[in-house]
Amino acid sequence: MASYIREFIARNVRNPQGYFGSWFAKNAFIKSNTPLIENTIPLVGIQPDHVVLEVGFGPGVGLEIALKHVQQGLGKLYGIDISEPMIQAATSRLGSNITNQKVELIQGDVVNLPFEDNMFDRVYHTNCFYFWSDHEKAAKELYRVMKKDSMMVTTMEKERVEDAQRRGFMKYGNPDVDNYVSCVEKAGFSNVKVENKCMEKSDAPFIVIYATAKKE
Ligand SMILES: C[S@@+](CC[C@H](N)C(=O)[O-])C[C@H]1O[C@@H](n2cnc3c(N)ncnc32)[C@H](O)[C@@H]1O
């Protein structure tokens, strides 16, 4: 593969930009990430009255699935993503749920969250943390905005990501799970637990990292 194509992919999986970047990223994310998202949401334990944050929602498939869990209650979903084209893609997917205030999408960076302290019952992100510029700062911010005894769920297809790394598509990412876990613990999270799982339909492997914001 030509090096400029590899560079194009590496840049756009981290922060999709421009017409071609966003077209490529949107379609690639929907095609390849939906099974992980479908396997992640049940692990998050979202209740109808929960206030929930998804970081790096991409085209919005995760928010669309999570929505079913808060639809009948007072709960609300927030999403933050660094990429303007991903905001547009998720906005068209989630449509009326945005106008009726059930979902709010914000363009921003996880290292500087535009939310008050102690706001969320659940935080989740799928195939995402390795693109953050500063894991320590991000973990501190996530801890700050989470309520006492709330939970964060991180999932990742480690083998797929490592394969992408070997092929040069992770030039702008750091998929070091141990480093991520140590930043999460340093930020104050407790009961940080890494589990290996397999997806329901395909049996494909993924890892899940649970972390509790006890805030005692
Ligand atoms: C590989 S995609 C995964 C998208 C979605 N979670 C999925 O599984 O389809 C990573 C997403 O994280 C977003 N992202 C990357 N760095 C970010 C950051 N620092 N803060 C917020 N979002 C970020 C990207 O724009 C992109 O939408």
Side-chain angles (χ1 to χ4, degrees):
M1 180 186 287
S3 63
Y4 71 89
I5 297 178
R6 201 169 284 129
E7 174 69 21
F8 169 84
I9 294 174
R11 279 189 188 284
N12 281 285
V13 290
R14 182 191 198 207
N15 183 354
Q17 291 298 322
Y19 178 78
F20 288 113
S22 62
W23 180 89
F24 161 77
K26 187 175 90 175
N27 290 292
F29 294 163
I30 292 173
K31 187 163 181 275
S32 60
N33 294 345
T34 297
L36 179 64
I37 295 167
E38 287 171 343
N39 280 270
T40 299
I41 303 297
L43 306 174
V44 184
I46 301 170
Q47 300 300 310
D49 292 342
H50 275 172
V51 181
V52 180
L53 172 65
E54 177 172 356
V55 182
F57 52 76
V61 176
L63 291 168
E64 191 175 39
I65 298 172
L67 192 58
K68 297 182 186 120
H69 297 263
V70 295
Q71 202 70 275
Q72 305 305 322
L74 297 171
K76 179 166 176 176
L77 305 179
Y78 289 81
I80 186 157
D81 199 293
I82 203 165
S83 158
E84 161 72 19
M86 292 300 102
I87 301 275
Q88 284 166 13
T91 299
S92 56
R93 175 176 292 276
L94 292 155
S96 61
N97 298 291
I98 292 173
T99 39
N100 73 17
Q101 306 278 306
K102 227 34 194 167
V103 181
E104 195 169 322
L105 304 179
I106 293 157
Q107 186 183 1
D109 192 325
V110 65
V111 299
N112 186 16
L113 293 171
F115 303 117
E116 290 170 13
D117 296 356
N118 309 314
M119 187 166 157
F120 296 102
D121 299 283
R122 291 289 184 273
V123 170
Y124 70 92
H125 44 94
T126 69
N127 274 338
C128 186
F129 78 79
Y130 37 86
F131 292 123
W132 303 347
S133 60
D134 187 330
H135 288 161
E136 212 172 309
K137 238 176 166 176
K140 273 191 195 148
E141 270 296 83
L142 289 164
Y143 185 80
R144 177 184 68 76
V145 300
M146 288 174 68
K147 288 182 186 168
K148 184 177 180 330
D149 293 326
S150 59
M151 186 174 73
M152 176 164 76
V153 173
T154 302
T155 57
M156 167 198 194
E157 286 164 281
K158 193 164 179 284
E159 288 170 22
R160 229 186 88 204
V161 171
E162 283 168 355
D163 180 54
Q165 194 172 28
R166 277 190 292 276
R167 293 159 70 198
F169 302 146
M170 278 292 138
K171 185 174 165 193
Y172 301 105
N174 172 14
D176 181 343
V177 174
D178 292 341
N179 174 65
Y180 172 73
V181 166
S182 94
C183 292
V184 166
E185 285 174 333
K186 226 167 156 186
F189 286 92
S190 32
N191 300 340
V192 182
K193 210 169 57 174
V194 183
E195 282 180 8
N196 290 293
K197 288 191 174 289
C198 288
M199 295 194 203
E200 262 188 16
K201 289 180 197 153
S202 64
D203 226 26
F206 69 102
I207 63 164
V208 50
I209 305 164
Y210 299 96
T212 306
K214 272 206 174 142
K215 301 201 164 179
E216 284 163 337

